[in-house]
């Protein structure tokens, strides 16, 4: 058996399941008698090596690293925890030539045969460029609660985040019903609506706003939302659950950190104006209590659900197998019930093209079966055409 020295790093926003990937890689490597170096804080770990701030030996990971000591020694806990035991960074492309040189030097000093990169679209893009410059052999594993890495149906962390959105909606339902309130839940998803869509359907939302179907909160969209909320009340449901993905923009196409609050404001102002103009039903809506919950990083920090542990483990094992076969420049993916791998170079080309055009790297397909499911349930999802109306409330 050929022994290898491999590295693993996690980069970009953390998510549930990163530790399960690390555990799987360490276990599969130990079986092959390989040495695994855990690079701390993404590519920053290479800088520390280059500057002699840490010794390569300190980075060696073994199965024992993650077992509890004492009477419960042998208990292997790593896959249960969220976060990354290696730490992670979100720093963008290293512009400074000295920083870049140190990263490349640190990698060279470790003498790695290959590197496993666990990252989302942004990190993969950055590390791919470094790998090209340093001639690294890399295998990548997709992770992100946004689920927007092209060519894989699932990224590590996504399913746990969906669970959090779903649970949050369930938890809010009872207080919403008791006070007959409209609850707006802001979900993560910088440019993609996968998380809001799935969590929204599973959690019983009445309105789900995602950037793919509602690029911005135009007047038409606000009008539709108001009518939908009024219809719900008429049908006897005196509360409502609205999910909005953070990637949805304002009326004037701006990104807004608190887009849920903006939506509340728009609904309030719009119904006030229409009430003032004599539309009686809008007078009811203007007085309905509304509250916003921003789920934020709670979506990233929950222990990984079973599916994320399975996916992370299967992805970690696949990455080791690819390295065993000297099969590099690959992205491990989940497609049609199987763990496969795709050319990383071609996926990076897609990522770069879409990022340059400021497009989502892997958006919700408007013909996705879950979009159809949501519409068939009567959930309001918007329509890109409705986001085109540029007028604003001041023009009413
Ligand atoms: O890309 C994953 C993600 O969780 C997005 O949904 C979110 O916009 C972003 O990271 C937040 O990142 P941070 O707060 O860590 O910079």
């Amino acid at each position: 058996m050929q022994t290898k020295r491999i590295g693993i790093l996690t980069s970009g926003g953390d998510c549930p399941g990163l530790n399960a990937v690390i555990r799987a890689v360490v276990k599969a490597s130990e079986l092959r008698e390989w040495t695994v170096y855990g690079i701390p804080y993404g590519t920053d770990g290479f800088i520390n090596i280059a500057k002699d701030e840490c010794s390569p030996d300190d980075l060696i990971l073994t199965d024992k690293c993650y077992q509890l000591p004492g009477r419960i020694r042998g208990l292997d806990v790593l896959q249960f925890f969220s976060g990354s035991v290696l730490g992670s960074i979100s720093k963008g492309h290293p512009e400074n030539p000295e920083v870049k040189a140190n990263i490349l030097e640190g990698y060279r000093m470790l003498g790695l045969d290959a590197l496993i990169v666990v990252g989302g679209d942004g990190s993969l893009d950055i590390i791919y460029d470094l790998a090209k410059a340093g001639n690294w052999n890399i295998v990548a594993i997709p992770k992100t609660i946004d689920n927007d890495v092209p060519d894989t149906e699932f990224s590590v962390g996504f399913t746990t985040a969906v669970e959090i959105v779903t649970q949050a909606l369930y938890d809010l339902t009872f207080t919403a019903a008791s006070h007959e309130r409209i609850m707006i839940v802001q979900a993560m998803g910088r440019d993609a609506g996968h998380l809001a869509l799935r969590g929204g359907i599973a959690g019983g939302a009445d309105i789900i706003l995602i950037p793919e179907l509602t690029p911005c909160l135009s007047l038409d969209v606000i009008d539709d939302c108001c009518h939908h909320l009024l219809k719900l009340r008429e049908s006897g449901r005196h509360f409502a659950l609205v999910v909005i993905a953070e990637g949805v923009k304002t009326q004037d196409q701006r990104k807004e950190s608190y887009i849920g609050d903006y939506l509340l404001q728009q609904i309030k102002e719009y119904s006030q104006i229409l009430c003032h103009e004599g539309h009686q039903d809008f007078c009811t809506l203007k007085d309905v209590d509304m509250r916003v919950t921003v789920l934020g990083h709670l979506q990233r920090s929950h222990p990984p659900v079973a599916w994320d542990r399975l996916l992370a483990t299967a992805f970690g094992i696949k990455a080791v197998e690819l390295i065993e076969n000297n099969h590099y420049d690959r992205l491990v993916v989940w497609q049609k019930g199987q763990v496969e791998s795709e050319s990383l170079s071609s996926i990076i080309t897609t990522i770069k093209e879409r990022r340059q055009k400021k497009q989502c790297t892997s958006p919700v397909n408007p013909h996705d079966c879950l979009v159809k499911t949501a519409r068939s349930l009567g959930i309001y999802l918007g329509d890109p055409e409705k986001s085109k109306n540029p007028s604003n409330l001041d023009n009413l």
Side-chain angles (χ1 to χ4, degrees):
M1 201 187 315
Q2 197 196 357
T3 65
K4 286 190 189 277
R5 290 159 73 91
I6 69 166
I8 178 165
L9 61 79
T10 52
S11 184
D14 71 338
C15 67
L18 294 177
N19 289 327
V21 175
I22 297 166
R23 169 182 177 264
V25 167
V26 171
K27 275 185 178 289
S29 299
E30 282 206 332
L31 288 173
R32 291 164 172 80
E33 296 178 14
W34 297 358
T35 310
V36 184
Y37 293 85
I39 316 300
Y41 300 104
T43 48
D44 272 9
F46 292 128
I47 302 177
N48 299 136
I49 296 282
K51 291 184 170 173
D52 266 342
E53 287 166 358
C54 78
S55 140
D57 286 353
D58 294 340
L59 306 185
I60 294 175
L61 304 178
T62 69
D63 211 9
K64 295 273 174 303
C65 297
Y66 306 121
Q67 291 181 5
L68 292 185
R71 288 187 185 276
I72 46 175
R73 67 177 164 269
L75 191 65
D76 174 2
V77 288
L78 196 56
Q79 68 160 329
F80 306 131
F81 298 129
S82 224
S84 166
V85 285
L86 296 176
S88 195
I89 50 157
S90 312
K91 280 193 178 168
H93 280 269
E95 305 292 352
N96 182 331
E98 194 184 317
V99 170
K100 190 172 162 187
N102 276 328
I103 294 173
L104 298 177
E105 177 58 8
Y107 186 95
R108 194 198 60 74
M109 284 168 70
L110 279 176
L112 298 179
D113 294 302
L115 176 69
I116 297 175
V117 177
V118 193
D121 58 346
S123 311
L124 296 182
D125 179 13
I126 296 160
I127 296 174
Y128 178 83
D129 289 348
L130 288 165
K132 276 246 155 250
N135 224 355
W136 305 350
N137 294 323
I138 61 169
V139 170
I141 293 179
K143 64 89 215 163
T144 164
I145 65 163
D146 294 1
N147 210 33
D148 57 355
V149 175
D151 284 13
T152 184
E153 288 161 28
F154 289 100
S155 292
V156 172
F158 172 59
T159 310
T160 306
V162 171
E163 201 63 44
I164 298 303
V165 176
T166 306
Q167 183 66 40
L169 288 170
Y170 172 79
D171 290 343
L172 288 166
T173 299
F174 300 94
T175 178
S178 304
H179 288 268
E180 300 195 343
R181 281 176 169 161
I182 296 170
M183 292 295 191
I184 298 178
V185 173
Q186 181 177 320
M188 274 190 170
R190 188 181 292 135
D191 305 304
H194 302 279
L195 177 56
L197 176 67
R198 295 194 189 208
I201 298 171
D206 304 291
I207 293 178
I208 304 174
L209 302 172
I210 60 173
E212 295 85 342
L213 299 174
T214 306
C216 79
L217 296 176
S218 68
L219 214 50
D220 280 348
V221 170
I222 300 298
D223 182 66
D224 276 359
C225 288
C226 290
H227 279 103
H228 195 77
L229 292 168
L230 286 169
K231 217 167 67 195
L232 283 174
R233 289 186 84 80
E234 274 164 31
S235 73
R237 179 159 159 123
H238 283 219
F239 69 96
L241 300 173
V242 179
V243 179
I244 182 162
E246 64 180 356
V248 173
K249 296 194 179 116
T250 61
Q251 225 160 65
D252 51 353
Q253 311 278 352
R254 272 182 302 108
K255 279 244 186 181
E256 164 69 58
S257 310
Y258 294 96
I259 193 70
D261 287 302
Y262 178 89
L263 173 64
L264 182 152
Q265 209 56 42
Q266 294 294 304
I267 292 177
K268 277 276 168 223
E269 280 178 29
Y270 188 72
S271 41
Q272 262 155 19
I273 293 169
L274 266 80
C275 167
H276 193 70
E277 286 178 355
H279 300 269
Q280 271 312 308
D281 39 358
F282 278 84
C283 299
T284 323
L285 189 58
K286 97 176 168 26
D287 292 330
V288 173
D289 251 359
M290 294 173 70
R291 295 288 186 272
V292 179
T293 304
V294 181
L295 297 180
H297 294 78
L298 289 172
Q299 295 156 104
R300 295 222 312 230
S301 217
H302 194 76
V305 295
W307 173 247
D308 268 328
R309 291 180 203 173
L310 291 170
L311 189 75
T313 306
F315 277 5
I317 302 291
K318 178 74 176 179
V320 169
E321 286 170 1
L322 287 165
I323 293 172
E324 186 168 42
N325 295 314
N326 300 318
H327 204 181
Y328 303 121
D329 186 31
R330 307 298 294 171
L331 175 75
V332 179
V333 294
W334 184 270
Q335 289 169 348
K336 298 193 172 86
Q338 299 292 330
V339 184
E340 304 285 354
S341 76
E342 294 282 338
S343 153
L344 183 61
S345 296
S346 62
I347 289 167
I348 294 294
T349 306
T350 308
I351 289 177
K352 283 187 188 297
E353 276 170 12
R354 293 191 182 159
R355 283 169 78 90
Q356 210 159 25
K357 291 186 200 153
K358 297 204 179 320
Q359 288 172 349
C360 176
T361 45
S362 184
V364 171
N365 180 338
H367 306 294
D368 189 296
C369 69
L370 288 176
V371 170
K372 210 172 138 216
T373 303
R375 291 204 199 280
S376 306
L377 277 176
I379 298 173
Y380 176 76
L381 282 182
D383 167 347
E385 286 301 309
K386 297 268 181 182
S387 286
K388 290 196 174 142
N389 183 351
S391 51
N392 57 42
L393 289 174
D394 301 338
N395 299 338
L396 278 183

